[in-house]
Amino acid sequence: MKYETMLERFLGYVNFKSRSDVSSTTLPSTPEQKDFLRMLKGQLEELNLKDIVLNEENWFLTATLPANTDKPYDKIGFISHVDTADFNVEGISPRVIENYDGKDIVLNKEQNIVMTTEEFPNLHNYKGLTLITTDGTTLLGADDKAGITEIVEAVKYLSEHPEIEHGEIRIAFGPDEEIGRGADHFDAKGFATDYAYTMDGGVLGELQYESFNAAQITYKITGVSVHPGTAKGKMKNANMIAAELASLFPEKEVPEHTEGYEGFYLLHNMQARIEEAEMVYIIRDHDKEKFLARKKFAEEVAAKINEKYGNVVEYELYDQYYNMGDVIKEDKRCVDVAEQAIKNAGVTPIIIPIRGGTDGSKISYMGIPTPNIFVGGENFHGQYEFSCLEHMTKAADTIVEIAKLAKK
């Protein structure tokens, strides 16, 4: 299928600054996301979609492509997020490389920033294709503006080809996915689909319906600061206690030593001085029982330190999201439809767990099973991010094929 405005639309979206901000307490976390959503609302109106609503309480933009047949179809949805990750977004200048030669890519000659095939051997998979890269100083924002582009292009294609029968299709674009907040406010009851898909994956063919169970624990250590010349028997150095606390965690159960279904602990950030320290760990595991055991272990670490030094550690532990696979496995119709749609688009499905979470992790627990589908890009969240135009086209094809296959 042809999407003649795919590249132009994508370049327009990535040039629109919409980074989220974890330190903000507003919804959405940055005003630029509101501006982007308002612009998208205007584009959806130009496509003559129905029920277009930009909800200024949860800041989700929703719309409907009505069914064009009386035949029984599932009511389906497609979802993407408008915010981009915590990396420089000032002066995004995308480069379009047609018929890529498979060699190192000089992103920025002046600053000698090169995306090498030695460091990124996956580049060899894109020889002869069209790549969209950064100039080496910003992210691209394909996560998730590629997903938005593909949804809009696919819906546009379906509206222009009424000979393709489909049921009702709902779309939603929302804020603050990158900081884990946007889906907390999603109106699943109002969206009212049988199932949905986040277009928020990576490489060609990815289909993901299992995510981590996720929690965060914050340790606050209270030390005692005394002049070092008279500190014997009095000082409690929070720096050293924090280091000791960290040493109690399993050395190999960290992101840099795990893959697939293996869980981990990650010391996400830390601030420390003699009188006080704060350590933030995230806890991840696909398996529910192992996840519970990891949380218990994290609490026991604090107990051990308190037993040794007195009550110097307080902590706050809370769950962030759960493995959507535990919901979706009850009815895998949404996975089966997507897998066949990917095949119909001429792509080999790659069914793998997400080593993270998506908005679908939360939305699935709101009653709408929501797997995740590829958008055709790699190296997200940084200066080496890129998208492949031909693979974006395959993602849009997959959306169209899902619409065809979603029969009751």
Side-chain angles (χ1 to χ4, degrees):
M1 286 166 270
K2 292 184 178 180
Y3 310 95
E4 295 177 353
T5 54
M6 174 83 77
L7 180 59
E8 178 185 2
R9 188 182 304 278
F10 180 59
L11 294 177
Y13 290 172
V14 299
N15 275 295
F16 209 110
K17 184 171 69 173
S18 61
R19 176 179 172 179
S20 50
D21 180 2
V22 70
S23 66
S24 171
T25 59
T26 64
L27 178 66
S29 62
T30 53
E32 291 86 357
Q33 293 183 73
K34 296 181 182 180
D35 296 337
F36 188 34
L37 284 161
R38 291 186 181 112
M39 184 273 289
L40 287 171
K41 182 174 183 285
Q43 291 195 351
L44 298 185
E45 289 169 346
E46 292 173 3
L47 296 180
N48 295 316
L49 299 183
K50 305 300 182 184
D51 306 322
I52 302 171
V53 176
L54 178 53
N55 185 323
E56 295 193 5
E57 292 185 3
N58 67 6
W59 285 97
F60 269 86
L61 170 63
T62 56
T64 302
L65 179 65
N68 63 0
T69 177
D70 292 330
K71 295 177 182 177
Y73 275 79
D74 291 326
K75 186 176 179 181
I76 60 174
F78 296 94
I79 303 166
S80 288
H81 62 90
V82 300
D83 64 315
T84 56
D86 186 18
F87 195 82
N88 181 35
V89 295
E90 298 296 334
I92 294 174
S93 299
R95 287 186 57 200
V96 178
I97 304 171
E98 297 181 348
N99 193 25
Y100 168 56
D101 62 10
K103 299 178 181 179
D104 293 353
I105 300 174
V106 179
L107 298 175
N108 194 303
K109 186 176 181 180
E110 291 76 17
Q111 299 187 36
N112 193 31
I113 301 172
V114 181
M115 182 160 52
T116 67
T117 56
E118 180 179 1
E119 186 174 5
F120 300 102
N122 49 322
L123 284 170
H124 293 302
N125 299 328
Y126 297 90
K127 187 175 181 180
L129 301 178
T130 304
L131 298 187
I132 304 101
T133 73
T134 75
D135 71 350
T137 64
T138 71
L139 53 63
L140 181 61
D143 179 9
D144 192 21
K145 290 173 180 175
I148 298 171
T149 302
E150 292 151 6
I151 292 172
V152 174
E153 286 293 317
V155 169
K156 178 174 179 285
Y157 185 90
L158 287 168
S159 66
E160 292 173 349
H161 291 80
E163 73 277 8
I164 300 174
E165 291 187 341
H166 60 81
E168 182 174 298
I169 298 171
R170 297 274 282 156
I171 64 175
F173 302 136
D176 290 338
E177 189 270 354
E178 296 292 359
I179 58 174
R181 298 180 194 165
D184 292 340
H185 307 280
F186 182 71
D187 181 10
K189 184 177 180 180
F191 200 58
T193 59
D194 294 302
Y195 47 88
Y197 301 92
T198 50
M199 299 300 297
D200 193 18
V203 299
L204 180 71
E206 275 186 355
L207 171 58
Q208 300 160 318
Y209 68 93
E210 297 175 280
S211 61
F212 277 137
N213 295 292
Q216 176 175 304
I217 187 166
T218 300
Y219 299 104
K220 292 185 178 180
I221 303 169
T222 302
V224 177
S225 182
V226 180
H227 188 285
T230 58
K232 185 174 181 179
K234 303 173 185 176
M235 178 183 286
K236 292 184 179 180
N237 190 335
N239 292 298
M240 299 301 293
I241 295 172
E244 184 174 344
L245 188 152
S247 73
L248 296 177
F249 282 85
E251 181 181 356
K252 296 295 184 182
E253 294 181 24
V254 292
E256 56 266 42
H257 291 294
T258 54
E259 62 184 354
Y261 287 95
E262 296 171 332
F264 61 75
Y265 306 95
L266 171 64
L267 178 54
H268 194 265
N269 52 65
M270 173 176 166
Q271 299 178 6
R273 54 184 187 271
I274 291 174
E275 61 269 28
E276 62 182 2
E278 181 174 291
M279 310 170 72
V280 179
Y281 274 85
I282 61 173
I283 302 167
R284 301 289 188 265
D285 211 297
H286 288 92
D287 182 270
K288 189 65 173 290
E289 293 303 316
K290 291 180 180 178
F291 174 62
L292 295 174
R294 288 187 183 279
K295 290 197 295 180
K296 183 179 179 181
F297 175 83
E299 293 181 299
E300 291 172 347
V301 164
K304 288 180 181 179
I305 293 294
N306 282 335
E307 184 178 354
K308 182 174 180 179
Y309 292 100
N311 293 322
V312 298
V313 181
E314 296 180 345
Y315 65 85
E316 180 184 4
L317 173 64
Y318 66 91
D319 291 348
Q320 297 171 302
Y321 57 84
Y322 301 110
N323 185 353
M324 61 188 180
D326 291 339
V327 172
I328 294 173
K329 286 175 183 176
E330 297 298 317
D331 181 1
K332 289 182 63 180
R333 182 175 34 153
C334 56
V335 177
D336 296 338
V337 167
E339 183 177 5
Q340 187 58 54
I342 292 171
K343 291 177 181 177
N344 288 0
V347 177
T348 300
I350 304 171
I351 301 178
I352 56 174
I354 305 170
R355 287 186 59 79
T358 71
D359 280 344
S361 303
K362 294 181 178 180
I363 294 170
S364 291
Y365 279 86
M366 294 176 180
I368 301 176
T370 307
N372 191 42
I373 293 175
F374 72 95
V375 298
E378 297 197 51
N379 302 343
F380 295 151
H381 294 194
Q383 68 197 106
Y384 299 110
E385 183 180 4
F386 67 88
S387 286
C388 173
L389 182 60
E390 290 81 1
H391 293 181
M392 290 176 64
T393 297
K394 290 295 185 181
D397 287 348
T398 298
I399 293 172
V400 173
E401 292 299 327
I402 289 173
K404 293 178 184 178
L405 291 169
K407 298 179 181 179
K408 289 189 178 294

